[in-house]
Amino acid sequence: MTDSNKSATLTIDGTEYELPMFSPTAGPDVVDIRKLYAQAGVFTYDPGFTSTASCDSTITFIDGDKGELLHRGYPIDQLAGKSHYLEVCYLLLYGELPTPAALEEFEATITRHTMIHEQMHNFFRGFRRDAHPMATMVGVVGAMSAFYHDSTDISDAYQREVASHRLIAKMPTIAAMAYKYSIGQPFVYPRNDLDYAANFLYMCFSVPAEEYNVDPILARAMDRIFTLHADHEQNASTSTVRLASSSGANPFACIAAGIACLWGPAHGGANQACLEMLNEIGTPDRIPEFIARAKDKNDPFRLMGFGHRVYKNHDPRATVMKQSADEVLELLGVDNNPILQVAKELEKAALADPYFAEKKLFPNVDFYSGIILEAMGFPTSMFTPIFALSRTVGWISQWKEMIADPQNKIGRPRQLYLGDTSRDYVDIENR
């Protein structure tokens, strides 16, 4: 953040107030209103905080109009195409791409932390079998502070580092266990000879009764899903993690808060909503009917997985994800899965329709990730847990950045109060 040599003048009841302005390395200038209440006795009003910068950050930058997503300055399509998830984790955590030796050490550290405390197995069994995996993850991740209390002191840099590694390493194990528990199968322990994505698929789909080999195409597709969801700037769940951590809460509680926020259908459920839409369409012959409905302004139906609230042009993550989707569908086929048949035909029809091109309603990352996860055999209830697993490193990176910020203070949003003013209590017999 640098001084822009500009200022904004705010006039209130004839009195002018000069407000400093700052220039970022990318994005719009910001007006500094930190002293506005002290000087002028007024708050600003911004529901959803859509025009408010709550922090400064060096981690992720998004330009929705250009369709640009950068992690530490590196375009997401380059990272997803040339890198892999744990290397992106290192980049987000430490600010630079690792040397070969540093990456090898980081990967070894994460691998050694993938097992969870054995006593946590009993914690899982306290949930009902039909509990949503996200409900289980919120509870288990929040409870990690009871099992790993040697890494909860946020003032200790070493403990912060250990907590970061533990969360990144154990989240796939926890998500896989939540899945196994929900379908009544035994837990599968992680394997140190498998990479991060392959290990997750192994823990989800292998059973003790027979050998299971992870297909490298599926592992690569899973790794890309992790990479493309690793961080997305100051969204609802990231802001939740930052707000929770501003009170000094331990890292496991903060990440559990992020998972709880992500569970909301307006945030983390987009790829699940996409699959539900494909189920509603049902068969390829009904696609023209639903495309016509999507064009009708008076019809509430919308094509889920097309367009994006942030990206006004194209989703830069979608191109790489489409490549993975094509590879997975070629490997597994779509002949016996009507939902995947609908997805392929819907993609083709929408891309060929001038209406969607004009409105810039292109398939986004949620459309393709939903197709991939469906093809792999994941139920829709696991889509958001996989999103949470992927986003954990982003939350941790944002958490670490906030803890190290000398300007860090507890979050305390203000309000526009519209309730009753002071009134006297009336005894119950007089009401």
Side-chain angles (χ1 to χ4, degrees), residues 281-331:
I281 294 173
T283 54
D285 60 287
R286 299 189 66 197
I287 288 174
E289 169 195 345
F290 281 87
I291 284 185
R293 289 183 59 188
K295 295 178 183 179
D296 185 354
K297 295 181 179 179
N298 298 319
D299 193 314
F301 176 78
R302 294 291 180 268
L303 281 183
M304 305 302 295
F306 288 78
H308 196 279
R309 185 181 60 82
V310 174
Y311 301 108
K312 305 306 181 186
N313 190 345
H314 71 282
D315 186 338
R317 303 166 296 174
T319 303
V320 179
M321 193 65 86
K322 172 177 167 52
Q323 179 184 343
S324 284
D326 291 341
E327 292 171 355
V328 168
L329 294 186
E330 183 178 352
L331 173 70

Side-chain angles (χ1 to χ4, degrees), residues 101-413:
L103 180 59
E104 183 178 356
E105 180 182 358
F106 180 71
E107 290 177 332
T109 299
I110 297 302
T111 299
R112 287 196 300 270
H113 276 297
T114 51
M115 289 181 64
I116 66 170
H117 195 290
E118 192 69 13
Q119 191 68 19
M120 293 185 75
H121 288 224
N122 296 330
F123 192 80
F124 273 89
R125 294 185 174 96
F127 294 96
R128 286 173 51 129
R129 286 282 179 180
D130 59 356
H132 194 288
M134 280 295 276
T136 305
M137 286 186 69
V138 169
V140 173
V141 173
M144 286 178 72
S145 58
F147 292 91
Y148 303 104
H149 47 76
D150 59 339
S151 55
T152 57
D153 183 356
I154 65 171
S155 64
D156 185 324
Y158 175 76
Q159 290 197 31
R160 293 200 300 269
E161 193 77 353
V162 171
S164 301
H165 292 160
R166 281 175 168 164
L167 279 160
I168 294 169
K170 298 180 193 305
M171 199 64 76
T173 309
I174 291 171
M177 290 176 70
Y179 171 59
K180 285 294 196 183
Y181 188 76
S182 71
I183 60 175
Q185 290 187 1
F187 297 140
V188 176
Y189 287 88
R191 278 175 42 183
N192 288 356
D193 61 321
L194 296 176
D195 65 39
Y196 193 86
N199 195 31
F200 175 65
L201 292 175
Y202 172 79
M203 289 188 290
C204 285
F205 294 121
S206 67
V207 293
E210 59 187 47
E211 185 177 352
Y212 176 82
N213 295 312
V214 181
D215 190 287
I217 292 177
L218 300 185
R220 177 59 176 156
M222 194 79 255
D223 188 89
R224 280 181 171 170
I225 288 177
F226 292 162
T227 299
L228 293 170
H229 291 87
D231 193 53
H232 211 243
E233 212 208 80
Q234 306 307 316
N235 51 66
S237 59
T238 300
S239 298
T240 298
V241 171
R242 280 183 171 264
L243 193 60
S245 67
S246 74
S247 71
N250 72 74
F252 305 111
C254 295
I255 301 306
I259 296 172
C261 181
L262 187 72
W263 193 1
H267 188 7
N271 49 12
Q272 180 172 338
C274 174
L275 259 293
E276 290 169 351
M277 174 199 69
L278 296 176
N279 275 294
E280 182 183 357
I281 294 173
T283 54
D285 60 287
R286 299 189 66 197
I287 288 174
E289 169 195 345
F290 281 87
I291 284 185
R293 289 183 59 188
K295 295 178 183 179
D296 185 354
K297 295 181 179 179
N298 298 319
D299 193 314
F301 176 78
R302 294 291 180 268
L303 281 183
M304 305 302 295
F306 288 78
H308 196 279
R309 185 181 60 82
V310 174
Y311 301 108
K312 305 306 181 186
N313 190 345
H314 71 282
D315 186 338
R317 303 166 296 174
T319 303
V320 179
M321 193 65 86
K322 172 177 167 52
Q323 179 184 343
S324 284
D326 291 341
E327 292 171 355
V328 168
L329 294 186
E330 183 178 352
L331 173 70
L332 300 178
V334 299
D335 294 340
N336 297 322
N337 191 323
I339 300 305
L340 297 179
Q341 292 176 11
V342 171
K344 291 295 290 183
E345 292 302 317
L346 179 61
E347 176 196 28
K348 187 185 304 182
L351 290 176
D353 194 313
Y355 173 86
F356 295 101
E358 179 185 336
K359 299 289 186 181
K360 298 180 180 178
L361 296 175
F362 304 109
N364 60 33
V365 69
D366 299 308
F367 180 80
Y368 293 117
S369 65
I371 291 174
I372 292 171
L373 295 175
E374 164 74 15
M376 287 181 176
F378 284 105
T380 54
S381 62
M382 275 300 293
F383 288 9
T384 314
I386 290 171
F387 192 165
L389 187 173
S390 311
R391 183 57 54 85
T392 296
V393 68
W395 291 332
I396 293 169
S397 300
Q398 300 276 349
W399 169 77
K400 287 183 65 180
E401 182 179 64
M402 181 175 182
I403 296 297
D405 186 352
Q407 299 183 92
N408 179 27
K409 58 176 63 178
I410 188 168
R412 181 62 175 87

Side-chain angles (χ1 to χ4, degrees), residues 64-78:
D65 293 331
K66 293 181 180 179
E68 183 178 62
L69 170 60
L70 307 177
H71 290 325
R72 305 288 191 181
Y74 294 97
I76 188 61
D77 54 336
Q78 291 184 23

